[in-house]
Amino acid sequence: MATVANFLAKPIATVVPRPSSAVASTSSFVFFNYKTNSLFRRENLPKRLFSAVKVKAGAASPGKVGTPPAKDEKVQKIHSGEEFDEALKNAKSKLVVAEFATSKSDQSNKIYPFMVELSRTCNDVVFLLVMGDESDKTRELCRREKIEKVPHFSFYKSMEKIHEEEGIEPDQLMGDVLYYGDNHSAVVQLHGRADVEKLIDENRTGGKLIVLDVGLKHCGPCVKVYPTVLKLSRSMSETVVFARMNGDENDSCMEFLKDMNVIEVPTFLFIRDGDICGRYVGSGKGELIGEILRYSGVRVTY
């Protein structure tokens, strides 16, 4: 989990290191009952909902710069700073994922096929590849973007860098793309208190449970759990409405976090018939599923 106060002081373009598996596996998650203020712990429910992207045989590698792209490969090769700026401009409000790589980097060659697969399935995301050792122009672009290690992934929206990471694994890349590329999401995106109130009013009757995922833009655990949220939003659409808010998006969102007493993220608020009936704090997939089922009226045995 991440503490809200710690993230407020961070700049927009912060390289977030990937947490070690040892730390992630021993994290303790706390449930908070909003009405009774009681704290209690649950056993982790091991259940894998979202597997890594499967890579087809013969997938390309970034080292093959001169090889014509396959028909279904949508990664745009960038050869200069001018091309890079033009690609960001043409993307408009779409998410842009730019990988900075080198032909001699084993890590770059390893993760590139996963980016190719993502480009085939995420039609609302623009994927760019910059080979830093291709020419003087690409080397200059890497210096301009302050790329020190590869593979390096930078995320942009409306020509503004919103996130960047380096040395990540395929599952982390997939999580980042899903988290920041919200246009294809079945999850309702909320941008302020007014959006929350509207969503609650729309679902005040009908019996559907609202699951509001509250996080921050550069929160590792928030990114980690989001693929599960997306999958659940599709499989439980008849009984549950899933929504998301990033507290550091604007002042209205941050004020909402303060009013809801959100101290750590991700926090999931459970709302039914206009009332907050509970919350879960943490990024445990099995635990989150258990709480959603519990507040949906399904009996869960731990």
Side-chain angles (χ1 to χ4, degrees):
M1 292 179 289
T3 302
V4 174
N6 292 341
F7 277 90
L8 295 182
K10 290 189 176 183
I12 289 296
T14 301
V15 178
V16 180
R18 189 170 185 265
S20 66
S21 58
V23 173
S25 64
T26 58
S27 297
S28 175
F29 300 115
V30 178
F31 296 84
F32 178 75
N33 188 298
Y34 185 77
K35 289 187 175 180
T36 64
N37 291 336
S38 61
L39 294 173
F40 55 100
R41 298 183 184 277
R42 299 286 190 193
E43 294 292 329
N44 183 41
L45 299 179
K47 185 175 182 181
R48 185 172 180 81
L49 280 180
F50 210 90
S51 59
V53 176
K54 294 181 179 179
V55 180
K56 298 178 181 179
S61 67
K64 300 177 181 179
V65 178
T67 304
K71 291 182 179 180
D72 56 349
E73 183 178 326
K74 299 180 180 180
V75 180
Q76 181 181 346
K77 307 299 192 302
I78 300 296
H79 307 287
S80 67
E82 291 77 13
E83 285 187 9
F84 186 79
D85 294 339
E86 187 66 20
L88 293 184
K89 181 180 178 181
N90 292 338
K92 297 180 180 179
S93 61
K94 287 185 177 180
L95 175 68
V96 177
V97 179
E99 178 189 0
F100 295 85
T102 61
S103 58
K104 296 181 180 180
S105 168
D106 291 336
Q107 283 186 301
S108 297
N109 291 329
K110 176 183 177 182
I111 200 168
Y112 179 70
F114 288 90
M115 188 169 78
V116 172
E117 287 299 312
L118 285 171
S119 73
R120 294 167 181 164
T121 57
C122 299
N123 295 322
D124 62 326
V125 181
V126 176
F127 292 86
L128 308 178
L129 174 66
V130 179
M131 298 301 298
D133 56 351
E134 178 187 85
S135 66
D136 290 339
K137 289 185 177 181
T138 57
R139 279 188 281 271
E140 176 58 33
L141 175 57
C142 288
R143 284 193 292 269
R144 191 191 82 178
E145 296 299 309
K146 299 180 181 179
I147 307 301
E148 298 180 354
K149 296 180 181 179
V150 295
H152 182 109
F153 289 88
S154 293
F155 298 75
Y156 301 83
K157 271 190 176 180
S158 302
M159 300 188 71
E160 177 186 356
K161 185 186 291 184
I162 58 173
H163 183 65
E164 59 182 353
E165 293 201 62
E166 60 186 24
I168 60 176
E169 298 295 326
D171 59 342
Q172 181 74 15
L173 173 62
M174 180 179 65
D176 286 345
V177 171
L178 293 175
Y179 189 74
Y180 292 103
D182 55 22
N183 291 334
H184 65 280
S185 171
V187 179
V188 181
Q189 307 298 317
L190 305 178
H191 306 286
R193 177 182 294 277
D195 290 344
V196 178
E197 294 175 351
K198 179 181 178 182
L199 180 67
I200 292 176
D201 287 340
E202 291 174 347
N203 294 276
R204 195 172 293 277
T205 59
K208 279 192 175 184
L209 175 70
I210 298 176
V211 177
L212 175 52
D213 175 6
V214 181
L216 297 171
K217 292 179 181 178
H218 302 292
C219 166
C222 300
V223 175
K224 173 187 173 184
V225 75
Y226 194 62
T228 300
V229 175
L230 278 176
K231 190 172 182 67
L232 291 173
S233 71
R234 299 185 184 107
S235 63
M236 304 181 72
S237 60
E238 294 184 1
T239 58
V240 182
V241 176
F242 287 82
R244 179 179 69 159
M245 172 185 286
N246 280 324
D248 52 349
E249 181 175 335
N250 55 50
D251 291 340
S252 177
C253 292
M254 186 52 64
E255 190 65 30
F256 177 78
L257 263 68
K258 292 178 181 178
D259 291 345
M260 293 297 103
N261 195 29
V262 174
I263 299 174
E264 294 179 307
V265 290
T267 287
F268 293 86
L269 301 176
F270 303 107
I271 306 169
R272 184 185 292 280
D273 299 328
D275 297 322
I276 296 178
C277 54
R279 65 173 65 190
Y280 164 65
V281 183
S283 59
K285 298 177 182 179
E287 294 166 326
L288 173 61
I289 294 167
E291 288 301 286
I292 292 174
L293 292 176
R294 185 162 75 92
Y295 285 105
S296 297
V298 179
R299 185 176 179 180
V300 179
T301 303
Y302 291 94

